Amino acid sequence: MADEPANTVLYDVSEGLATITINRPDAMNAMNTAAKVALRDSLRDAAADPAVRAVLLTATGRAFCVGQDLKEHVATLAATRESGGGNALSTVREHYNPIVRAITGMAKPVVAGVNGVAAGAGFGFALAADYRVVADTASFNTSFAGVALTADSGVSWTLPRLIGPSRAADLLFFPRSISAQDALELGLVNRVVLAAELAERAAAVARTLADGPTVAYAALKESMAYGAGHTLAQALEKEDELQTRAGASQDHVIAVEAFLAKETPVYLGK
């Protein structure tokens, strides 16, 4: 595209908060290879940086992310047919899976600030986040069956767990636009705000988490993911392990001392 931005993903760290912004507004933030690599690597950088205590994932323009760049995908399909080898959808393994693993696996909270339509893989990125703040003009669409594909970017795992298998099947087999308000009622998102306030409100949520007890947040994130696939007895053992870790943190001592002194704790994130 003639107006393709120089940086398909913007990355900024300020006072413990990493803001990662998908930046292909004229393509509705569709994911071409450059954007996928940049998003994957930015998330990995945020996960590895001890100075980062929370992440805000958002986008420029009127879309959050409409998923795969189909223009690039068509070209890849044609090249695959001509060569007689390769895998036009190796991007799932090389890009989408690592992106979702980086979001869900990092030991710090990730907030999705959904400014517009989130479809396909973009829907998956939003669902992978720990918390979703959504503009009232935003919408969601699974999209996959509409282009004769199955779910990727973790949607087959996250969607049924958020809204149940029956509703998930309905949205996957019959892809359609779901409004922000309907998404809230279904349990897909945490907060719906005015579109004009989305940037400020999402950043405020992420900032609150960046200033919070990072070790405790990491333990909460890990315990919920663990509990989704284990028995109650196993989850109780995991809670014991993680509570021991959280209880040994400096932030726990700070929190208790602040509570007793009737003061607001100032956490160190460790």
Side-chain angles (χ1 to χ4, degrees):
M1 299 177 64
D3 54 358
E4 179 81 10
N7 299 306
T8 58
V9 172
L10 307 176
Y11 184 78
D12 176 73
V13 178
S14 177
E15 299 180 343
L17 176 62
T19 302
I20 299 174
T21 308
I22 306 171
N23 186 41
R24 299 189 71 219
D26 294 318
M28 296 189 72
N29 295 313
M31 301 300 291
N32 63 2
T33 299
K36 287 180 281 193
V37 169
L39 180 58
R40 180 195 66 194
D41 293 350
S42 294
L43 287 163
R44 286 175 171 174
D45 288 345
D49 187 350
V52 172
R53 293 168 57 185
V55 172
L56 172 60
L57 175 62
T58 190
T60 57
R62 61 192 180 93
F64 176 71
C65 174
V66 296
Q68 175 66 39
D69 185 322
L70 291 181
K71 291 183 179 179
E72 183 182 80
H73 182 60
V74 167
T76 303
L77 285 173
T80 300
R81 286 195 299 268
E82 289 175 8
S83 67
N87 178 3
L89 286 164
S90 62
T91 189
V92 172
R93 179 179 63 254
E94 295 172 5
H95 305 116
Y96 292 138
N97 288 354
I99 287 169
V100 171
R101 287 194 184 103
I103 294 171
T104 58
M106 71 171 72
K108 52 200 75 174
V110 178
V111 175
V114 182
N115 54 303
V117 59
F123 190 20
F125 302 159
L127 294 187
D130 302 298
Y131 203 90
R132 285 163 291 283
V133 183
V134 178
D136 59 352
T137 54
S139 62
F140 299 87
N141 196 319
T142 59
S143 294
F144 302 107
V147 289
L149 287 174
T150 186
D152 62 34
S153 304
V155 172
S156 67
W157 193 92
T158 52
L159 187 60
R161 282 164 174 77
L162 284 169
I163 65 174
S166 180
R167 284 176 168 172
D170 180 44
L171 294 184
L172 286 165
F173 282 115
F174 302 99
R176 58 195 183 275
S177 180
I178 302 298
S179 71
Q181 188 58 43
D182 286 345
L184 180 65
E185 293 173 3
L186 282 170
L188 285 171
V189 306
N190 301 93
R191 300 187 193 182
V192 174
V193 302
L194 294 175
E197 300 176 0
L198 184 276
E200 180 182 356
R201 298 282 295 275
V205 170
R207 166 57 55 202
T208 297
L209 293 172
D211 291 340
T214 311
V215 176
Y217 291 151
L220 286 167
K221 187 169 178 173
E222 183 177 346
S223 66
M224 287 189 288
Y226 185 89
H230 292 80
T231 66
L232 173 60
Q234 292 170 322
L236 290 171
E237 290 296 321
K238 175 60 72 171
E239 286 182 350
D240 177 44
E241 171 196 328
L242 294 174
Q243 196 69 292
T244 299
R245 183 193 307 170
S249 69
Q250 293 182 46
D251 282 343
H252 175 58
V253 175
I254 290 170
V256 172
E257 291 179 346
F259 178 82
L260 294 174
K262 294 182 172 55
E263 297 174 346
T264 300
V266 179
Y267 294 114
L268 301 177
K270 56 187 177 180

